[in-house]
Amino acid sequence: MAMSSQFSLSLELTKLVPFGPLVNAAGHGLIRLIRDLQASGSDFITEEDLAQVFGRNRVEPLFASTFRTAVKHSMIHEVSSIAELVIEGGAGPTVRRSLNEPAYFAMVVQLSLLTFTHELTSLTKALTKAFERRTEGAKDFVAPPRYDALKGALRAIREQTCGFMWELILSAVEKRLYPSVAWTDGFLYTLRTIPLVIMQGLLDSLTAVQHLPENTRLRIGSTFGIPTIVVWAHQVLGLSVEVDINGETVVFGDGPVSVYVESDKNGPQEIVLLSETDDPFFHLAEADEDDRLLPLRQHPVRDYGTRALRLVDDRRDEERQMVNAVVTSCISIARAQNRDHGHELPESDNQGHEIQEPGIRVHDKPLGRLSSFPSVQRVLAVSRSVFASNEDVVDAIDLHSELPCPAQAAETEAPKHFGGSRLLLCLTHVVLVLGMVHGFDEDLMLHVESLETAQYMPFRIPDTCMAYSSLASLLQGQPTYRLEDVEVDRTSVISASGWSLCLASLACKDPSDTKGLLAFIRGVPARGGERRRYIIDGALPLPKQLKRATAASRSRNKIVAGPGDTCALESWSQQKKARHLIGITDHAFEIATICETRSKDTSEANSLTLGFRSMQEISWNVVHVPACMHNAELGQSLVLPDAVWTFHGFQGPALFTQNFPQQALFAGLVAGDSSARWMLCAHMLQTWKFPYEFTVYVRGRDCCFECSVKYAKRIPYSCAGLVL
């Protein structure tokens, strides 16, 4: 039949289904709804168009109750009181509206499934094309949803319904459909994608068979999309489905079958809606120009590592051997790192930057970047989650025995069927970076194709900066350098699929507040109801700012006290209230904090503009002095030991008049002035020039003057700066 037949059927179904007016809000309430939807990234008109199609279907009552319970709650996490930024998770305006409107609820449920199984861009293109095709030949032109508005609506639904675990339902269906098919090469992800022509036909045919069960039957011929079609038709809409696959028949549901699916690798991809006399209402077949939809290859953190292994090979004995090799490698690294960053002197003679463990070496990494490295117990806890199906393997590891390092494990322990050393080192990296996250929900969805890409990267022991970049790739499913219209080096929050990866600096006001930990929070960045996917720095890069500030502040640098002199813990400057600048782009919030301070003696002002990412960069590159048991009060005095000088200002010793030994500690008197402390950290890291090794230490509010000096001098052969 002609393509216009599908549109004619759609019109008749619209008359048949008691749908009623979609827009039942009026006046001020309608305007507010439109604004809320727009702020969330969705679009009012687009949701109306989608509800006109998907809203005609009735969601199976028990499933509707389960879905509603999972998505009805909203969560707001304050991440920065400075900029009034929050992470909004759970039900947003689209879902909240749907909870009281059956048509919108049906739309949200069905599109939540499609956004879970298909990559967002390819799904948007497919639905746009499907809407266009189903109206071809119609007398009255019906404009399909705009591409960008449709993509925004689909993204909003995905973000607001990420709390529902479609993976559990799909996996249960796939076990019945493919009992002997392994996950090798991720083929089952591809099998979830519905071909374009089938997608187009399902827009109207599911409505027909649900409302006219005695007069219509649906036949589908397709190799792809069968798990998603079964979940859509059976679990969501309550229809009985019969699948003929590999010579066997699998039936879902107890009632009369209304949807028949035949999997034939050599047959055409087609969909036919039949009458009770087997006359076709419409018949659609795949065209040569049809694009394939891309799968969304994600898996929850729980058993993520097991799924990654089974994508490569399905040999369970060697899988357990691989899990043991990964976890023991992580433990050996954690032991080395945590021993090196205790309160005792490092065993290395390379300014504390080299870790002494056979086969494990880290060079040129600032100690601050490794300060959040997971403990052995944290590694074990993460491993039990990442390899949940092999938890007994993790528990059986003897922590009192000598464990192989990654290089040894990759050479001798990694089964060759699993890609050998590459996959072992890659999974080792994943366990370690997840250990740097301040708690995480096992329902967090991470992409598995990012893991496959990472197999070809050289292994490095991750610091917090690398962990942030790696986790961003796993969350977004693409390398971080491909983020659209956003420089990843300026980001402090990256959001995807309803989850946000956040830096610790969002909640800090002083350099000592940032401890390097990362966090996954369910939701997306929001301010005043407006949502964006990123938070980025709106400030200039630090080197450019500091170059301008250097000449203006040279005259205010001076040595205050040296070895044998008595010095008080104080600040030469007086802090002014910080100012915050906030901008909004298509994808991100841009945040800049202007730190200002003024000299108590001359009243001359200094300023520095920072963003959350630059604050975290500062924290990553300094060493945080641990807390002590004494009182840390302003005004306490100390007789300075050998090779210790205190000073005012921000510039380096090269601007002072006297000569200093190569092993010296320069302590800046900026206690109690957070703005001056940020400025001094930035200057020490960016403008202080030394021909030899230099480390920057930052005293916290919980460490006294004497203990902070002792800690900064614990490596006697290094030159260091101390931010008091």
Side-chain angles (χ1 to χ4, degrees), residues 10-48:
S10 178
L11 292 178
E12 293 302 318
L13 290 171
T14 301
K15 297 175 184 178
L16 173 67
V17 180
F19 194 59
L22 282 176
V23 183
N24 57 10
H28 177 73
L30 177 59
I31 297 299
R32 180 176 180 180
L33 174 61
I34 293 173
R35 286 176 173 168
D36 289 345
L37 290 173
Q38 189 175 35
S40 71
S42 189
D43 177 76
F44 178 80
I45 300 299
T46 302
E47 289 195 6
E48 294 295 315

Side-chain angles (χ1 to χ4, degrees), residues 589-609:
F589 294 110
E590 289 197 17
I591 310 295
T593 298
I594 302 177
C595 300
E596 295 181 296
T597 190
R598 188 178 298 275
S599 170
K600 294 178 180 178
D601 297 332
T602 65
S603 296
E604 291 180 300
N606 294 271
S607 67
L608 180 66
T609 304

Side-chain angles (χ1 to χ4, degrees), residues 4-14 56 204-205 208 212 216 273 281-282:
S4 59
S5 296
Q6 185 181 359
F7 185 70
S8 300
L9 173 66
S10 178
L11 292 178
E12 293 302 318
L13 290 171
T14 301
R56 300 171 300 179
D204 294 303
S205 57
L212 300 169
T216 57
L273 181 64
F281 284 109
F282 67 80

